[in-house]
Amino acid sequence: MYSGSMTTTPERLIEATRGLLWERGYVGTSPKAIQQRAGAGQGSMYHHFSGKPGLALAAIRRTADDMRATAERVLAGEGTDGTAYGRVAAYLRRERDVLRGCPVGRLSMDPEVIADDELRAPVDETLGWLRGRLAEVFQEGMDDGEFDPSLDPGRTAAAVVATVQGGYVLARSSGSTAAFESAVEGLLGLLDGWRRA
């Protein structure tokens, strides 16, 4: 049940759906489970949303927006030394609920989401945005002489995203955050080799 600032029925429905999608995936998230968690009736759900797909889309978009905002704060330099390496390191080491996995990345493994162009779009757009934003940070580091000019910003950004997403999989499969942390520190070691003294 929700209280406090999430008092409107649409807000409660979206937040309930976000949580259920992260925990159970699309197939495992039934309208009844959403209604129970949100404390809303069936009529309320269908009054505000066209059904489960419409509600799921609103929830996925909200989750994607939150992920972008969190990543942008760190990549823009908040709480870092301001260097490109420091910003990427802060992004990689930021606090995460590693054993739950990425709330956006996990959706890419959900066959129902992937089969639906509309549901898949915010997942693809968010991961694409993240690769692009990281590539910008690497390019800034190259422009400032921080990284070797032979570094490929786009490919390196893709490697960062793949390390994070793959790190979630390794951690979840082993039941330990150590696998995620090892992948992150390994990547940072490789990136350190591209830094100019």
Side-chain angles (χ1 to χ4, degrees):
M1 295 288 177
Y2 295 96
S3 61
S5 63
M6 286 189 289
T7 56
T8 68
T9 301
E11 282 296 311
R12 292 196 319 267
L13 288 164
I14 290 170
E15 290 302 314
T17 305
R18 288 178 68 186
L20 288 165
L21 286 172
W22 197 4
E23 294 164 20
R24 304 178 184 183
Y26 185 82
V27 173
T29 299
S30 68
K32 184 175 181 177
I34 295 168
Q35 293 158 23
Q36 287 176 339
R37 185 169 287 190
Q42 182 176 2
S44 293
M45 180 175 158
Y46 290 99
H47 172 73
H48 294 289
F49 299 95
S50 59
K52 179 180 165 181
L55 182 50
L57 181 60
I60 292 168
R61 283 184 177 149
R62 173 89 49 90
T63 298
D65 289 346
D66 284 355
M67 180 177 161
R68 284 185 192 204
T70 299
E72 179 55 34
R73 280 192 297 275
V74 177
L75 294 173
E78 184 178 300
T80 74
D81 65 6
T83 65
Y85 180 87
R87 289 153 51 199
V88 172
Y91 168 74
L92 287 166
R93 290 176 174 152
R94 76 171 181 77
E95 188 175 332
R96 292 175 165 87
D97 194 348
V98 173
L99 294 179
R100 284 185 75 191
C102 175
V104 173
R106 281 185 68 180
L107 293 168
S108 68
M109 293 181 265
D110 191 313
E112 296 291 325
V113 171
I114 296 306
D116 186 311
D117 291 343
E118 196 171 19
L119 293 177
R120 186 182 69 246
V123 175
D124 182 44
E125 289 164 7
T126 300
L127 294 174
W129 172 86
L130 184 56
R131 286 190 308 271
R133 186 65 182 97
L134 284 160
E136 289 172 7
V137 172
F138 284 119
Q139 186 63 56
E140 290 168 20
M142 291 170 63
D143 293 346
D144 292 341
E146 183 184 342
F147 287 116
D148 187 282
S150 63
L151 178 83
D152 184 311
R155 289 180 179 177
T156 308
V160 171
V161 174
T163 298
V164 171
Q165 295 301 318
Y168 281 123
V169 172
L170 294 173
R172 286 174 55 81
S173 67
S174 68
S176 169
T177 60
F180 183 94
E181 293 157 5
S182 180
V184 162
E185 294 307 318
L187 178 59
L188 286 171
L190 292 172
L191 290 176
D192 194 45
W194 287 93
R195 293 170 80 189
R196 290 176 150 179

